[in-house]
Amino acid sequence: MATPQLKPETLFDLMSKHFETDEGKELCKKINLVYQIKLAPEKIGFNEVCYTIDLKNGKVIKGTLEGEKPDATFSFKEKDFIKIALGKMNPQIAFMRGLMKIKGSLSAAQKFTPDIFPKFPVSKL
């Protein structure tokens, strides 16, 4: 791969900063859902690290959201999550290929698209 590997932690940090911008605030108003992301280094379901993308309050936290159930929970291998976040893989295709597992509301899951992630200049990767 020509570009260095983007780490999920970096992506979530950038996402958190993006939610503070006017564009990010508009996105939060538009989607208004809470997603839980479970990332595994090698195999879904093993050694997962959990993140919560709170598009109701414009926050990204490592771990679960206290007192609130997510609208949808996604499980990925880290490399597949990065591909989806960068728009290099379609979430529906990932689901059909078994690269992504979903729990929760299907209508909420359908709003999980690369559009919720900030657009990155290639130089930042």
Side-chain angles (χ1 to χ4, degrees):
M1 191 163 17
T3 57
Q5 182 65 34
L6 177 66
K7 298 288 182 203
E9 298 82 20
T10 305
L11 176 64
F12 288 120
D13 286 343
L14 291 169
M15 206 174 184
S16 188
K17 290 175 183 152
H18 177 65
F19 290 156
E20 295 171 5
T21 68
D22 290 340
E23 184 183 343
K25 289 175 185 173
E26 282 300 312
L27 176 71
C28 290
K29 266 192 243 180
K30 179 181 166 189
I31 302 213
N32 199 36
L33 296 168
V34 176
Y35 294 124
Q36 190 172 64
I37 308 293
K38 293 182 178 183
L39 300 176
E42 299 294 323
K43 187 174 180 186
I44 292 175
F46 295 93
N47 301 319
E48 291 180 324
V49 176
C50 183
Y51 291 88
T52 301
I53 302 172
D54 182 352
L55 290 160
K56 290 182 179 179
N57 300 303
K59 296 188 287 186
V60 178
I61 60 169
K62 188 171 183 175
T64 58
L65 195 60
E66 293 296 320
E68 189 170 347
K69 186 177 171 187
D71 294 292
T73 299
F74 301 91
S75 297
F76 304 92
K77 286 194 287 187
E78 287 179 5
K79 67 178 185 170
D80 295 328
F81 171 73
I82 295 296
K83 287 178 187 175
I84 288 172
L86 295 177
K88 295 179 179 178
M89 184 187 304
N90 182 303
Q92 286 87 2
I93 302 277
F95 176 73
M96 287 188 283
R97 291 183 179 165
L99 302 175
M100 173 174 76
K101 306 254 186 249
I102 302 171
K103 288 183 184 174
S105 165
L106 189 55
S107 64
Q110 289 174 326
K111 293 182 182 180
F112 183 81
T113 67
D115 296 337
I116 71 167
F117 298 98
K119 304 303 168 243
F120 304 103
V122 175
S123 63
K124 297 234 178 190
L125 303 177

